[in-house]
Amino acid sequence: MVPKEKPLWKGFAFRLCLLSAGLFLCLQLGLRRSRAPAEKAGAAAARALPARGTEQRLGPVPARSSRKGSAEAHLGPGAGRPEAASASRRRVTYLRSSRRRSSEPACCPLESLGSSRRKTIRWNVDLQPWASPTPSLNYEALRFLKYITTPQISCEHMNMNSLTDNSETIKKPWSICLDDRFSLVHRIKSKQCRLYSLGLSSDDNQFEISLANSGCEVHRFDPSIKSAHIQEGRHLWNHRLSIDWRDPNPAIAPHKLRSHTKKLGTILNEFGHQKIDVLKADMESAEWKILENLILEDIVEQIGQLVFEVHIHWPGFEVSGNDSTVVRYWYSLLKELELKDFRLFHTYKDLLKPQMFLKKEAFNASSCYTLSWVNTRWK
């Protein structure tokens, strides 16, 4: 019996399947060989950049970790890290630091950035131009005396009797402005005001007592008192300290110093006070250098009103130069106050003191004037 022959189409289909399977295998092998170098490079990059992969999964790296990476990047590739990781950190550090080191600000600087910038330290006040083409004591003195005897702003209420029951009169004209347009009168009524009184004698303290009786926090600084700190009543403190334009030399032992002297800025930091509503000063010719220190360190911007007794019978402590240079320096200090929005509202010429100007009986000047300024920006 002869066997039957298989159909031709079945053999053709079988060969076609084998051919297709072979082609598919060849394609798979070719694709795998072409992907192998890229996969190896990707695996190496992934191992070298674990932090970057983490950042992609978890979001931006916090600022603290970026600073740590920046510090490590400055150590260089020999710090025990792979070269690829060091290079990547250097790139990130460069991009971040380039924003910080930009010398030119953007179009409009943010206000919040301006408040955080450190102020430039000043070592000297800006001297005003001479009053005449050539330095002359006559012109300098006339300009200065006219300036300190001409109020720049009017103040209608300067009487403390309306704010306190104390009937005693104040010996010296320590005038403060109590107009409603300025905040001092409101702070006194709400018992939130603070007075600093700088003095070298305790014979005249009625002004301080009057403000303390009205509810103000009063601090008197006088190196002649016996104890370091004495509290009189509820609102008045006396401190055995002298305000100076410099802090004591740390190389000198405290017990060898003649008196306890500190700058006003140092006192404010130690006491934790941010503002002074009224600063009264009777420093017997040390007021010029103290005022200079308050201006250079921007302490004056923390003060609402200034009541200073100025002495012009001699240059003052550590003020040097010839007479015309000294008067120009005095005038420049007062102009600095004006640039910081202080306005002179009261001036008093003491006729009981010798009528002297730089050791001369000249210009119809007194050796002592009491001047009062108000900070027009004070809130």
Side-chain angles (χ1 to χ4, degrees), residues 2 97 176 248 312 329:
V2 180
S97 61
I176 54 178
I312 59 176
Y329 166 75

Side-chain angles (χ1 to χ4, degrees), residues 77-257:
R81 299 283 185 178
E83 291 185 3
S86 300
S88 65
R89 290 194 183 95
R90 282 196 295 271
R91 285 198 298 271
V92 174
T93 304
Y94 172 77
L95 292 175
R96 293 180 182 271
S97 61
S98 64
R99 290 195 295 267
R100 289 198 300 267
R101 297 176 183 175
S102 177
S103 58
E104 297 182 0
C107 167
C108 306
L110 298 176
E111 293 181 0
S112 59
L113 294 178
S115 60
S116 63
R117 293 173 180 169
R118 294 182 179 179
K119 297 182 179 180
T120 304
I121 297 176
R122 297 176 59 191
W123 299 103
N124 302 98
V125 297
D126 297 327
L127 294 176
Q128 292 292 316
W130 292 99
S132 58
T134 58
S136 167
L137 175 60
N138 185 66
Y139 282 101
E140 295 299 326
L142 292 176
R143 179 177 68 170
F144 172 76
L145 290 171
K146 181 180 179 181
Y147 192 85
I148 67 173
T149 55
T150 305
Q152 299 170 325
I153 194 173
S154 62
C155 182
E156 298 180 1
H157 305 285
M158 294 183 290
N159 191 354
M160 285 293 298
N161 293 333
S162 60
L163 297 177
T164 179
D165 297 332
N166 194 350
S167 60
E168 296 186 25
T169 58
I170 299 175
K171 297 180 181 179
K172 291 184 179 181
W174 303 110
S175 299
I176 54 178
C177 189
L178 301 174
D179 286 357
D180 288 337
R181 55 181 170 159
F182 302 120
S183 63
L184 179 59
V185 62
H186 307 291
R187 293 178 65 83
I188 292 177
K189 291 179 178 179
S190 61
K191 303 185 185 303
Q192 296 180 349
C193 58
R194 178 180 295 123
L195 164 70
Y196 270 34
S197 175
L198 319 182
L200 296 176
S201 62
S202 59
D203 58 344
D204 181 18
N205 58 2
Q206 193 56 47
F207 178 75
E208 292 85 345
I209 294 175
S210 179
L211 277 175
N213 289 339
S214 67
C216 286
E217 176 187 338
V218 178
H219 296 269
R220 291 183 64 246
F221 298 90
D222 188 346
S224 65
I225 65 175
K226 297 180 179 180
S227 301
H229 305 283
I230 300 176
Q231 183 174 358
E232 296 181 8
R234 185 177 178 183
H235 302 288
L236 178 59
W237 286 265
N238 297 285
H239 309 282
R240 191 177 59 197
L241 287 169
S242 176
I243 305 301
D244 203 354
W245 59 92
R246 64 217 158 172
D247 283 328
N249 189 343
I252 301 176
H255 65 275
K256 293 184 179 180
L257 296 174

Side-chain angles (χ1 to χ4, degrees), residues 216-352:
C216 286
E217 176 187 338
V218 178
H219 296 269
R220 291 183 64 246
F221 298 90
D222 188 346
S224 65
I225 65 175
K226 297 180 179 180
S227 301
H229 305 283
I230 300 176
Q231 183 174 358
E232 296 181 8
R234 185 177 178 183
H235 302 288
L236 178 59
W237 286 265
N238 297 285
H239 309 282
R240 191 177 59 197
L241 287 169
S242 176
I243 305 301
D244 203 354
W245 59 92
R246 64 217 158 172
D247 283 328
N249 189 343
I252 301 176
H255 65 275
K256 293 184 179 180
L257 296 174
R258 294 183 179 179
S259 61
H260 300 279
T261 61
K262 293 182 180 180
K263 295 189 296 185
L264 184 61
T266 303
I267 297 293
L268 288 172
N269 291 333
E270 292 181 354
F271 284 19
H273 295 162
Q274 299 296 324
K275 294 182 178 181
I276 304 173
D277 293 282
V278 180
L279 177 64
K280 171 202 167 188
D282 182 6
M283 298 301 295
E284 303 297 336
S285 297
E287 66 275 355
W288 295 113
K289 293 297 290 184
I290 292 175
L291 183 59
E292 179 189 55
N293 171 254
L294 299 182
I295 292 171
L296 294 179
E297 295 189 356
D298 292 326
I299 302 299
V300 73
E301 297 179 358
Q302 302 173 237
I303 302 172
Q305 295 192 25
L306 288 170
V307 188
F308 268 54
E309 187 176 85
V310 298
H311 302 83
I312 59 176
H313 61 286
W314 71 296
F317 292 103
E318 295 197 10
V319 178
S320 60
N322 57 34
D323 289 348
S324 57
T325 302
V326 168
V327 181
R328 182 193 183 197
Y329 166 75
W330 290 345
Y331 178 73
S332 300
L333 282 177
L334 303 186
K335 290 295 288 185
E336 287 272 359
L337 287 178
E338 184 179 344
L339 293 175
K340 293 183 178 294
D341 294 314
F342 278 81
R343 297 294 180 266
L344 184 68
F345 66 87
H346 186 260
T347 176
Y348 173 76
K349 178 181 179 180
D350 194 342
L351 298 177
L352 299 178

